[in-house]
Amino acid sequence: MRDAQDTKTPVGVVGAGSWGTALANLLAEKGFPVDHWVYEDDVRQQMTDNRENTRFLPGVRLSDNLCPSGDLEAVVTGKKMVLVVTPSHVTRQIMGACGPAIDAQTLVVSASKGIENKTHLTISGVLGEAISHLDPGRLAVLTGPSFAKEVARHVPTVVTVASHQTDTAVAVQRMFATPFFRVYTISDMIGAELGGSVKNVIAIAAGMIDGLGLGFNTRAALITRGLAEIRRLGLVMGACSRTFSGLAGAGDLILTCTGELSRNHTIGKEIGQGKKLGDLLAGMHMVAEGVKTAKSVYNLSRKLGVEMPISHAVYRILYEDLDPKAALHQLMTRDLKQELDEDRENEEAGFRK
């Protein structure tokens, strides 16, 4: 097997939204031959003829090393790495269709962020089932504070790759690293994925705060307590506490809750201004992952007995038509309590009272 850093190594990318296109182009600009599966016929033709994805990533010229394709099986066949950047709710269907063509030793990297509604699996769990013959040690997750538009413009960006296998994380790290795209590694896949998924739910809440015309105090409190919720869920699911202080946790949460390029923040802001979710979704070309993830987080946290009041409020606003102002009042007038989950802190540290 050739070194994964060899720029002659062919790469397959599945998904051509803004993030999928930005990452595919990053690899192509590094010199990797990239076969890129594009679902929409018109987008694929446009990318081929005009070297630009004007629907999802306008203004960015695509490298000549990037080859748009409509043949999903061909894109993943014979590749040393397959990058999956599909909406979370269709990942199982898409990767299940092409999974048999992926070699068991292929590096499979998820750059999708979400939690499947029915199974409550993160994307790596979905991929493990959809590509059942894949060596689990060859799975990795790419996550962190990174807007596609800025990565495509070579704005300095720092992310992390998580994998249970150190060699896998390092191989992926080296493939993606550039002078403007710095990549760290961690071993906590579940923590990295929960941080990247649940932050979209909190970002919807942050957008609602802005839509309601509230201030920086409220936003800072929302981000801080939102991070506490993500961490609380993560610890119950076996994640490492430190992950949530890093790029996959606080870093990604801060970006998505404050950046105007965030689709989740945008949809929350418009709901805060009085618009209806159905109308907003009907007018969107790209997926706001937090909308579907809110349902998963609500059901998963109730199943596990994890207290997540902000996430539950977002769910009720999106799916039960709770007024955002009423939700805020309910959050602010909950029973008073201590800030830190000290019992969980002690339990994680190995102490027992």
Side-chain angles (χ1 to χ4, degrees), residues 116-172:
E116 196 173 47
N117 282 161
K118 290 184 179 179
T119 65
H120 301 151
L121 290 173
T122 58
I123 300 302
S124 69
V126 172
L127 292 175
E129 291 187 353
I131 317 171
S132 58
H133 63 282
L134 184 71
D135 179 348
R138 305 298 282 174
L139 268 173
V141 173
L142 178 71
T143 188
S146 47
F147 285 141
K149 185 176 180 180
E150 294 193 353
V151 171
R153 291 173 44 222
H154 297 186
V155 172
T157 300
V158 185
V159 298
T160 195
V161 169
S163 178
H164 296 316
Q165 184 70 39
T166 300
D167 291 348
T168 294
V170 171
V172 176

Side-chain angles (χ1 to χ4, degrees), residues 7-88:
T7 54
K8 295 179 181 178
T9 299
V11 173
V13 177
V14 180
S18 59
W19 190 219
T21 303
L23 289 176
N25 201 49
L26 181 152
L27 292 168
E29 288 180 335
K30 283 193 69 173
F32 290 101
V34 176
D35 288 332
H36 193 185
W37 181 71
V38 185
Y39 173 72
E40 300 89 348
D41 292 339
D42 59 324
V43 174
R44 182 170 62 251
Q45 193 63 50
Q46 177 191 86
M47 291 172 67
T48 301
D49 295 343
N50 303 327
R51 309 308 299 168
E52 182 181 359
N53 185 341
T54 56
R55 181 181 300 182
F56 298 116
L57 195 65
V60 176
R61 189 190 184 284
L62 302 178
S63 167
D64 291 337
N65 289 326
L66 189 154
C67 179
S69 173
D71 189 335
L72 178 59
E73 184 172 334
V75 163
V76 303
T77 299
K79 301 301 191 297
K80 300 304 179 184
M81 184 182 80
V82 171
L83 176 66
V84 181
V85 205
T86 51
S88 61

Side-chain angles (χ1 to χ4, degrees), residues 3 20 46 50 111 132 225 234 240 261 287 331 345 349:
D3 189 333
Q46 177 191 86
N50 303 327
S132 58
R225 296 310 300 165
C240 173
L261 295 177
V287 175
L331 288 170
E345 291 275 5

Side-chain angles (χ1 to χ4, degrees), residues 65-294:
N65 289 326
L66 189 154
C67 179
S69 173
D71 189 335
L72 178 59
E73 184 172 334
V75 163
V76 303
T77 299
K79 301 301 191 297
K80 300 304 179 184
M81 184 182 80
V82 171
L83 176 66
V84 181
V85 205
T86 51
S88 61
H89 64 283
V90 296
T91 296
R92 181 180 295 274
Q93 177 185 354
I94 292 171
M95 297 312 297
C98 67
I102 298 176
D103 185 83
Q105 292 302 310
T106 297
L107 290 172
V108 176
V109 182
S110 168
S112 300
K113 298 178 179 180
I115 301 173
E116 196 173 47
N117 282 161
K118 290 184 179 179
T119 65
H120 301 151
L121 290 173
T122 58
I123 300 302
S124 69
V126 172
L127 292 175
E129 291 187 353
I131 317 171
S132 58
H133 63 282
L134 184 71
D135 179 348
R138 305 298 282 174
L139 268 173
V141 173
L142 178 71
T143 188
S146 47
F147 285 141
K149 185 176 180 180
E150 294 193 353
V151 171
R153 291 173 44 222
H154 297 186
V155 172
T157 300
V158 185
V159 298
T160 195
V161 169
S163 178
H164 296 316
Q165 184 70 39
T166 300
D167 291 348
T168 294
V170 171
V172 176
Q173 176 188 45
R174 292 176 177 175
M175 288 188 74
F176 279 94
T178 76
F180 68 87
F181 197 73
R182 182 170 176 81
V183 186
Y184 286 90
T185 65
I186 58 174
S187 59
D188 182 13
M189 288 183 70
I190 187 64
E193 289 190 283
L194 287 176
S197 300
V198 186
K199 59 95 181 180
N200 286 327
V201 180
I202 306 302
I204 292 175
M208 291 176 186
I209 286 172
D210 289 346
L212 290 170
L214 303 177
F216 298 120
N217 291 358
T218 315
R219 183 197 288 174
L222 184 283
I223 293 172
T224 305
R225 296 310 300 165
L227 183 60
E229 291 191 11
I230 297 171
R231 179 180 175 278
R232 196 178 295 137
L233 178 64
L235 293 182
V236 170
M237 294 182 67
C240 173
S241 177
R242 290 178 298 171
T243 299
F244 304 108
S245 299
L247 294 164
D252 208 0
L253 179 66
I254 292 168
L255 178 74
T256 314
C257 286
T258 61
E260 294 182 357
L261 295 177
S262 166
R263 295 190 293 275
N264 295 287
H265 181 277
T266 297
I267 206 167
K269 184 175 181 178
E270 294 185 322
I271 289 172
Q273 293 171 341
K275 297 180 181 178
K276 297 298 182 182
L277 177 63
D279 295 335
L280 294 173
L281 295 179
M284 292 184 71
H285 291 301
M286 293 182 279
V287 175
E289 284 285 3
V291 173
K292 291 187 178 295
T293 302

Side-chain angles (χ1 to χ4, degrees), residues 257-336:
C257 286
T258 61
E260 294 182 357
L261 295 177
S262 166
R263 295 190 293 275
N264 295 287
H265 181 277
T266 297
I267 206 167
K269 184 175 181 178
E270 294 185 322
I271 289 172
Q273 293 171 341
K275 297 180 181 178
K276 297 298 182 182
L277 177 63
D279 295 335
L280 294 173
L281 295 179
M284 292 184 71
H285 291 301
M286 293 182 279
V287 175
E289 284 285 3
V291 173
K292 291 187 178 295
T293 302
K295 183 179 292 185
S296 297
V297 171
Y298 177 78
N299 290 324
L300 176 59
S301 61
R302 293 182 68 197
K303 176 182 176 181
L304 297 176
V306 179
E307 189 178 20
M308 301 184 72
I310 297 172
S311 300
H312 286 196
V314 172
Y315 169 83
R316 293 184 62 201
I317 292 168
L318 296 179
Y319 293 101
E320 297 179 358
D321 206 27
L322 175 66
D323 181 76
K325 291 181 180 179
L328 178 61
H329 178 75
Q330 291 173 9
L331 288 170
M332 291 296 291
T333 57
R334 294 170 63 241
D335 290 343
L336 301 176

